Amino acid sequence: MTVENVTAHGLVTARARLSDAIAVKQAMLDDGVLEQAVAIAHVVVAALRAGNKIMFFGNGGSSMDAGHLAAELTGRFAYDRPGLAAFSLSDSTAAVTAIGNDYSYAEVFARQVLGLGRPGDVAFGLSTSGSSANVVRGLQAARRAGMVTVALTGADGRQCLAVADHCIRVPSSNTARVQEACLHVGHTICELVEAGMFPRSP
Ligand SMILES: O=C(CO)[C@@H](O)[C@H](O)[C@H](O)[C@H](O)COP(=O)(O)O
């Protein structure tokens, strides 16, 4: 195969991927995902106003999205305002490696949740498969601790759904598409939370 053929094939494939991503986002518009995101943003605003905090966790690409979304709240999303109480449990390399090494990888989020979480806090578990044991156990621990539990997953998010007060299942089972869609949902929630906490005059 020539370089030109590889490039042509790559372009065809890339177009198909982009079409798929658009179809997923269109299905989200039709599936009530935004209505769920608004409801979750209300929950987060209520928690922050009551002095509670927001924690995110996930594996792999979702671990980076967990840190990204926490930073949208502690830093800023669209405009300057005070920082909000949010952090990612995936960001602590020391905690994740110590708990994973000394207990088990399934406990890396649950143990942090139980140590850091207080009733009324909000825990966001991100899992494209919806079945990663450490994310499911993290949400279970949060629920036991009296926290509000939120899951962002792909279409087959049943295990997270069972332990989440709010579960947005984006309509795809492709890991990359689900990550992109969950990040979009996360951005939407952060934007709504920022506007809810610090309204700007029109
Ligand atoms: O980012 C990617 C591939 O797109 C991977 O690293 C992916 O995040 C990992 O396979 C994760 O372990 C998947 O876990 P989960 O999202 O199903 O909970």
Side-chain angles (χ1 to χ4, degrees), residues 181-196:
C182 285
L183 184 59
H184 189 100
V185 169
H187 272 155
T188 299
I189 292 170
C190 289
E191 183 167 21
L192 292 168
V193 168
E194 183 171 78

Side-chain angles (χ1 to χ4, degrees), residues 49-126:
R49 283 191 182 147
N52 290 108
K53 55 193 183 293
I54 317 301
M55 56 188 76
F56 297 86
F57 47 90
N59 294 296
S62 298
S63 75
M64 295 293 110
D65 293 334
H68 178 161
L69 294 173
E72 301 286 21
L73 297 179
T74 51
R76 53 177 280 176
F77 184 78
Y79 50 84
D80 289 328
R81 39 74 177 177
L84 293 167
F87 53 91
S88 165
L89 301 180
S90 301
D91 278 356
S92 175
T93 306
V96 169
T97 55
I99 298 167
N101 194 39
D102 298 345
Y103 295 91
S104 83
Y105 194 64
E107 298 304 319
V108 295
F109 301 133
R111 199 168 168 84
Q112 293 189 77
V113 163
L114 291 176
L116 296 164
R118 297 293 174 265
D121 291 348
V122 182
F124 277 80
L126 282 67

Side-chain angles (χ1 to χ4, degrees), residues 115-136:
L116 296 164
R118 297 293 174 265
D121 291 348
V122 182
F124 277 80
L126 282 67
S127 174
T128 57
S129 63
S131 57
S132 289
N134 57 355
V135 175
V136 174

Side-chain angles (χ1 to χ4, degrees), residues 32-47 54 122 124 148-152 165-168 185 188-190 192-193:
V33 165
L34 294 182
E35 287 75 5
Q36 284 182 283
V38 169
I40 292 166
H42 279 300
V43 166
V44 172
V45 168
I54 317 301
V122 182
F124 277 80
V148 180
T149 53
V150 180
L152 304 182
D165 301 313
H166 303 267
C167 180
I168 292 186
V185 169
T188 299
I189 292 170
C190 289
L192 292 168
V193 168

Side-chain angles (χ1 to χ4, degrees), residues 136-157:
V136 174
R137 289 176 76 87
L139 290 169
Q140 281 171 334
R143 184 169 260 189
R144 276 207 309 281
M147 300 169 63
V148 180
T149 53
V150 180
L152 304 182
T153 76
D156 184 15

